[in-house]
Amino acid sequence: MEKGLISVDRWTEHSQAYFLTHLHSDHTQGLSSSWAKGPIFCSRLTAKLFPFKFPGFNLSLLRLLAVGTWHSISLVSPSSASSSTLQVMPIDAHHCPGAVMFLFRGEFGCLLYTGDFRWETTSKRAEIGRTMLLNALKDDVVDILYLDNTYCNPSYAFPSRAIIAQQVIDIIVSHPEHDIIIGIDSLGKEDLLLHISHELKIKIWVWPERLQTMHLLGFHDIFTTKTSLTRVRAVPRYSFSVETLEGLNTMHPTIGIMPSGLPWVVRPLENGDKLFGSLLTSRYNRSKWSGNGGNHTEKPNGNLGSVEKFHKYIYSVPYSDHSCFAEIEDFVKLVQPTNMKGIVSSSSCYVDPLYYFGRLCGAYQSAQSLPHNKRKERVERVLAVNNKTTFRCGASAGVERKRAMTVKVKSSGIHASRMSALRRKKRGAKIEENDRPN
DNA sequence: GCGATCAGTT
DNA sequence: CACAACTGATCGC
């Protein structure tokens, strides 16, 4: 029954075309240098980085899609052998270099797959992305939004990356004699390092492979592999540990900065008097974050206000490449999809995005009233289409059924149940034909 | 050697 | 402890 049309960030099944949102390894599981199942559509930058991640990959399989423009792709239906045309537009996801969302139009309707994304509202780049998306959507209605729901819970509230970057500067400046270690992954957080380099007029050490990546990204005079040139080093996150810091401190005073992790988790709103996290949470101050900058702090004992020091040598800062709850909400309000599904379900506190945002959806609105609502007509048209073309998400039909049941529970007003039984890794999505809904 | 899975790490 | 993203060990082929 595998009659897939297209796959997004999924590599296990056979499809007519494959789409890759970005090159983080949790989106490329099943993809390898010996890939031969079919063409892969991605952004220009992702394609540029591709050989580094997959040496020896047959690059003729890559199809470059320019960000912000529509592309037509002809596909042959595996079931009927008839050809159909798919339109796709990649849109900057502001997640890591090359990361895009995909907006699809075709017989199946209009689908938006965000991949991983950060939807900040403050930066110039965010404004461009917003305009691009609005122009792309025009009068069209997104039938299904596949949403990065990593932090889709009101307890996830954190400031923009620009504000956190400035806090990192403050940490470094307040340790003028220390070496600085920053934990990063193989892709992402470049803007933070560029900010440090620019503000402090200092080069940043990276490991040799990362320097190659930086060169591919076009950064040539900022990073170095010579330790003698700088006191700031970006190291692989997996080599960043308490032991590492303690070892380094036997030789030279050194602090670590971890721009990630979840020590910034604040208490869940529905459970106000019971701390969800540890004592770490109490020092985070929302009002400081929501202010303009809010980075100049009182520094008791040399600490910085909303920056968390959770170890003698380690600071944790909430620099996230995923949208916080408020940003996800902004995004859903902007897109106003008819329906939506979360693409991440690994969290033990996973809650279907419909639980929080269902009221913003067309499906909910049209179910309420207005038989002549344009949106409702559209929904019905799409539902008919969906009888033969279904956007399937997940590893197996069985798991997908459970998910559908969950949606039903949520929309009937029952409090969201936790879905730890459904723990799964992040998945991609796949369009299949002749897949009977339920 | 290859991919898949599992157990760790921040 | 929660996450995302990653390494490394192990297993079957």
Side-chain angles (χ1 to χ4, degrees):
Chain A
M1 275 297 212
E2 295 305 330
K3 294 172 178 173
L5 192 57
I6 67 170
S7 291
V8 185
D9 292 350
R10 269 191 75 82
W11 317 99
T12 53
E13 294 154 273
H14 284 93
S15 294
Q16 295 295 297
Y18 298 82
F19 294 83
L20 173 62
T21 60
H22 66 291
L23 273 173
H24 278 155
S25 56
D26 52 337
H27 289 253
T28 59
Q29 285 181 29
L31 187 54
S32 71
S33 294
S34 57
W35 173 265
K37 286 199 176 99
I40 297 176
F41 295 84
C42 63
S43 69
R44 179 175 301 276
L45 190 47
T46 292
K48 195 173 179 183
L49 295 163
F50 216 95
F52 196 71
K53 177 103 179 174
F54 299 109
F57 188 92
N58 177 6
L59 295 177
S60 69
L61 288 171
L62 293 186
R63 304 285 184 273
L64 276 54
L65 300 175
V67 170
T69 57
W70 284 105
H71 304 262
S72 287
I73 299 170
S74 290
L75 300 172
V76 177
S77 162
S79 52
S80 64
S82 64
S83 68
S84 63
T85 300
L86 170 88
Q87 287 189 299
V88 60
M89 180 193 284
I91 296 163
D92 193 349
H94 303 151
H95 174 67
C96 72
V100 290
M101 322 182 196
F102 287 116
L103 180 59
F104 296 103
R105 287 198 301 223
E107 289 176 357
F108 44 77
C110 181
L111 310 173
L112 178 56
Y113 190 97
T114 65
D116 289 347
F117 82 117
R118 175 111 200 222
W119 198 250
E120 284 166 346
T121 51
T122 48
S123 72
K124 181 73 182 170
R125 187 180 168 194
E127 186 58 40
I128 292 170
R130 186 183 182 88
T131 305
M132 185 180 290
L133 182 60
L134 282 174
N135 286 339
L137 290 175
K138 285 232 173 69
D139 311 311
D140 221 343
V141 172
V142 172
D143 298 303
I144 306 177
L145 170 64
Y146 290 86
L147 181 69
D148 172 13
N149 56 317
T150 302
Y151 296 134
C152 189
N153 184 302
S155 64
Y156 293 121
F158 41 80
S160 71
R161 287 172 291 197
I163 287 175
I164 302 303
Q166 195 52 47
Q167 292 182 349
V168 170
I169 297 293
D170 292 348
I171 295 173
I172 297 174
V173 167
S174 66
H175 294 79
E177 303 302 324
H178 282 69
D179 279 358
I180 312 288
I181 301 293
I182 302 171
I184 60 169
D185 289 319
S186 61
L187 206 55
K189 311 276 195 289
E190 289 79 8
D191 287 347
L192 172 62
L193 302 180
L194 291 175
H195 184 71
I196 294 168
S197 176
H198 183 256
E199 290 292 305
L200 303 181
K201 306 282 181 270
I202 193 171
K203 285 186 188 263
I204 312 277
W205 182 94
V206 290
W207 63 101
E209 292 82 2
R210 199 57 159 99
L211 184 66
Q212 286 189 50
T213 303
M214 294 301 192
H215 287 166
L216 279 175
L217 294 172
F219 310 129
H220 289 287
D221 299 317
I222 296 161
F223 299 97
T224 179
T225 53
K226 296 196 180 105
T227 48
S228 61
L229 293 184
T230 177
R231 68 184 180 102
V232 178
R233 309 202 290 278
V235 304
R237 207 167 49 164
Y238 61 85
S239 71
F240 182 110
S241 67
V242 170
E243 289 71 30
T244 307
L245 266 297
E246 285 175 347
L248 289 169
N249 270 279
T250 64
M251 301 182 290
H252 190 273
T254 304
I255 59 164
I257 300 173
M258 183 54 75
S260 180
L262 292 180
W264 38 265
V265 165
V266 294
R267 66 186 72 187
L269 294 185
E270 65 275 8
N271 206 3
D273 56 352
K274 205 166 192 175
L275 269 184
F276 179 67
S278 66
L279 66 165
L280 298 180
T281 59
S282 60
R283 277 206 254 163
Y284 286 109
N285 185 329
R286 277 172 202 262
S287 61
K288 210 167 273 175
W289 288 356
S290 53
N292 52 342
N295 43 329
H296 300 297
T297 63
E298 55 277 13
K299 297 189 181 183
N301 297 330
N303 284 358
L304 294 101
S306 65
V307 170
E308 190 48 57
K309 189 172 190 178
F310 71 78
H311 179 270
K312 185 164 50 164
Y313 303 127
I314 299 177
Y315 290 83
S316 175
V317 293
Y319 188 101
S320 170
D321 286 329
H322 293 268
S323 301
C324 66
F325 181 80
E327 291 164 352
I328 297 174
E329 184 170 31
D330 273 354
F331 185 77
V332 174
K333 280 179 179 169
L334 181 73
V335 174
Q336 291 187 274
T338 302
N339 207 340
M340 75 178 100
K341 295 177 181 177
I343 61 176
V344 180
S345 60
S346 66
S347 166
S348 61
C349 61
Y350 172 85
V351 174
D352 193 291
L354 281 172
Y355 174 68
Y356 289 115
F357 305 131
R359 67 192 155 79
L360 304 175
C361 278
Y364 181 88
Q365 290 167 17
S366 63
Q368 297 295 298
S369 60
L370 299 175
H372 298 301
N373 188 324
K374 227 164 74 178
R375 176 159 288 174
K376 177 176 176 171
E377 291 169 17
R378 173 70 177 171
V379 170
E380 288 173 344
R381 193 174 77 76
V382 171
L383 283 175
V385 170
N386 274 352
N387 279 333
K388 66 171 184 174
T389 305
T390 308
F391 200 72
R392 205 186 104 183
C393 192
S396 73
V399 175
E400 189 59 22
R401 247 193 326 273
K402 281 186 191 172
R403 157 190 284 279
M405 281 168 53
T406 311
V407 171
K408 200 174 160 190
V409 168
K410 306 288 168 52
S411 58
S412 63
I414 299 170
H415 194 279
S417 61
R418 308 237 158 184
M419 293 180 64
S420 50
L422 279 180
R423 285 181 73 92
R424 244 187 307 154
K425 265 302 177 185
K426 185 175 301 185
R427 306 133 314 153
K430 181 180 172 69
I431 292 180
E432 289 194 354
E433 292 200 340
N434 298 323
D435 190 15
R436 303 290 180 281
N438 287 352

